Amino acid sequence: MDTSPVTPHRMDPAGGCPHADNQRLLARGAVATVLLPGAVEGVAVLGHDALKDFLAHPDVAKGAEHFTALREGRIAAGWPLMTFATVQGMTTADGDDHRRLRSLVSKAFTVRRVEQLRPRIEELTSGLLDGLHAAAEDDGGVADLRRHFALPLPMGVIGELLGVDAEYLDRLHHLSNQVVATDIGPEQAVAANRELVAVLSAVATARAENPGDDLTSALIAARDEEGDRLSQQELIGTLVLMIIAGHETTLNLITNAVRALCGHRDQLESVQKGESSWADVVEETLRWDAPVSYFPFRYPVRDLTVDGTVIPQGTPVLAGYSAAGRDSAAHGPDADRFDITRSGRPGAVRNLSLGHGAHYCLGAPLARMEATIALERLFTRFPDLDLAVSEAELTRHASFVGNSVRALPVRPGASRL
């Protein structure tokens, strides 16, 4: 066996398409040593089976107190990934604290509660399709699907769930984008985080003065009536997580699914004929082009061997969802091929793109519903919709966390009401 040291893979702060790098890294193994921004040493778990085991491992934690370099003061202020490590909420809590925080918001995301949102999601979708059509008519038949459809749908839904006034939504999306960016400078990162906290504090103040039937009001009640259940920092941290996770993932999922279908017209036709379902499209998109590529962070609480590689205690670990989705060891030799019939095959492996274990994405049922409704209504209304530029001309996210493109110019074509 070759025991020579392997040069760590430098995570490109500018982001870009992850799949070529993922394929190269997977050829070397299921675990890769990486260099994060600021020359911080880390690890990425890439292989499907290794990642599934790692995500549910009892000796893996989420709390920042386990991040050795951070605890020892070796992480500079304004580090672009700092929010992922230090925000106070479910994604950085373990054990009883995690269960306490998750229980405060879980009722809003049960399958039953999500199903009750269906009529409102359908109503929002119809209005946004009108807007997409109008935008295209105003600009020579071309409109940015991401701006006019894929973004405002999940942003509108999470805004209503949280009781966020519409006036705040555009600013919250802009700030969320900066928080998940990995190429941002220290001063920008600090300013974006500070403003995001300030805006959400204003939202919380407004809801405290005028409570409603929304999640923010419920969290405020838990803070004020049962102070031991939620602190002010945890309240704001939970809102930060809800806003970012509640729209960025679904935004990328819808965008990537439209790109995939436009590049595979035969499969689009199959769904339109009823031979496959829109849910199949959503699942295959989650696998083939995961909306989150590398999610920060988890930390082994002791030296941990994963697929033959020792990950030292306290190392920041990225969950490589986009890599695991195309791992041929799990998904077969054609893992790099988009195929909406894949989930129906005998022995098909379920994707990990919305997580696994105790920290499985709480909003998964909502994300799946929003994307399924969005795609069905979009291609029913505009069956000939296609990209207005080639895939190669699309500009990628400036992040190795989010996986999508910044804009998606499309030609909707004739509208069929």
Side-chain angles (χ1 to χ4, degrees):
M1 184 176 71
D2 183 6
T3 58
S4 58
V6 176
T7 302
H9 171 70
R10 178 182 172 273
M11 302 299 298
D12 187 354
C17 182
H19 299 302
D21 279 345
N22 288 345
Q23 186 177 39
R24 180 173 57 82
L25 291 171
L26 276 169
R28 296 189 339 203
V31 179
T33 56
V34 298
L35 272 183
L36 300 168
V40 175
E41 296 178 356
V43 162
V45 181
L46 311 153
H48 174 95
D49 291 348
L51 181 57
K52 185 176 181 180
D53 290 345
F54 183 80
L55 293 175
H57 200 287
D59 291 325
V60 172
K62 294 278 279 179
E65 68 271 20
H66 299 286
F67 187 172
T68 300
L70 181 64
R71 189 177 66 246
E72 295 178 351
R74 293 188 279 117
I75 304 296
W79 191 49
L81 297 169
M82 188 68 84
T83 297
F84 290 102
T86 61
V87 64
Q88 293 192 41
M90 288 179 295
T91 65
T92 55
D94 297 300
D96 290 342
D97 278 341
H98 174 249
R99 285 185 285 273
R100 170 177 58 85
L101 293 167
R102 193 174 175 101
S103 70
L104 289 170
V105 299
S106 60
K107 290 180 182 178
F109 295 98
T110 63
V111 173
R112 179 173 176 273
R113 178 71 181 102
V114 167
E115 187 58 37
Q116 292 174 345
L117 294 172
R118 181 179 293 274
R120 180 58 180 143
I121 294 171
E122 291 174 342
E123 180 184 7
L124 280 171
T125 300
S126 294
L128 291 170
L129 289 174
D130 291 341
L132 180 69
H133 179 65
E137 286 199 321
D138 289 343
D139 195 16
V142 176
D144 179 1
L145 184 133
R146 191 171 172 91
R147 173 187 171 191
H148 293 287
F149 184 65
L151 166 61
L153 177 58
M155 198 67 183
V157 172
I158 198 64
E160 290 188 12
L161 274 175
L162 293 176
V164 177
D165 292 338
E167 65 191 85
Y168 291 115
L169 295 181
D170 284 347
R171 191 62 188 162
L172 285 172
H173 170 64
H174 171 73
L175 294 169
S176 297
N177 254 343
Q178 291 193 298
V179 168
V180 302
T182 48
D183 69 339
I184 191 169
E187 291 182 4
Q188 286 178 287
V190 170
N193 278 276
R194 185 179 293 128
E195 186 179 352
L196 182 59
V197 168
V199 172
L200 290 173
S201 295
V203 169
T205 298
R207 292 280 68 80
E209 295 171 352
N210 185 25
D213 183 20
D214 57 74
L215 187 54
T216 303
S217 297
L219 290 171
I220 290 169
R223 179 200 65 188
D224 294 345
E225 298 167 16
E226 308 170 73
D228 60 336
R229 292 196 69 199
L230 189 73
S231 69
Q232 175 66 12
Q233 291 77 17
E234 288 171 337
L235 167 64
I236 299 303
T238 297
L239 294 181
V240 168
L241 295 170
M242 291 290 101
I243 281 291
I244 295 175
H247 87 280
E248 289 281 353
T249 300
T250 309
L251 162 60
N252 290 347
L253 172 56
I254 294 170
T255 302
N256 292 355
V258 172
R259 290 169 48 226
L261 289 172
C262 287
H264 300 81
R265 305 299 298 192
D266 57 329
Q267 297 191 53
L268 172 58
E269 184 178 346
S270 174
V271 187
Q272 290 171 325
K273 289 180 178 178
E275 297 169 352
S276 296
S277 71
W278 293 104
D280 293 333
V281 174
V282 170
E283 290 309 306
E284 181 65 350
T285 302
L286 283 168
R287 181 200 71 82
W288 187 72
D289 208 10
V292 175
S293 190
Y294 287 93
F295 191 78
F297 288 114
R298 284 170 169 82
Y299 320 95
V301 299
R302 61 174 177 82
D303 290 358
L304 196 64
T305 300
V306 179
D307 197 53
T309 298
V310 176
I311 305 177
Q313 176 183 342
T315 300
V317 180
L318 301 172
Y321 294 126
S322 63
R326 296 198 186 189
D327 181 4
S328 58
H331 299 289
D334 65 344
D336 62 347
R337 186 167 68 89
F338 182 76
D339 181 0
I340 59 175
T341 69
R342 186 182 303 274
S343 61
R345 295 179 190 172
V349 174
R350 187 173 179 83
N351 70 78
L352 299 173
S353 296
L354 294 173
H356 177 69
H359 287 271
Y360 179 74
C361 177
L362 197 60
L366 180 58
R368 285 186 164 100
M369 175 185 282
E370 289 180 64
T372 302
I373 291 172
L375 294 170
E376 179 179 11
R377 295 300 179 93
L378 175 68
F379 284 103
T380 297
R381 175 86 176 261
F382 304 109
D384 300 320
L385 181 143
D386 207 350
L387 302 187
V389 298
S390 69
E391 178 73 24
E393 294 175 90
L394 297 172
T395 303
R396 305 286 308 198
H397 264 325
S399 171
F400 56 73
V401 178
N403 174 41
S404 194
V405 294
R406 296 188 188 183
L408 190 66
V410 299
R411 295 186 184 278
S415 172
R416 297 184 186 177
L417 292 175

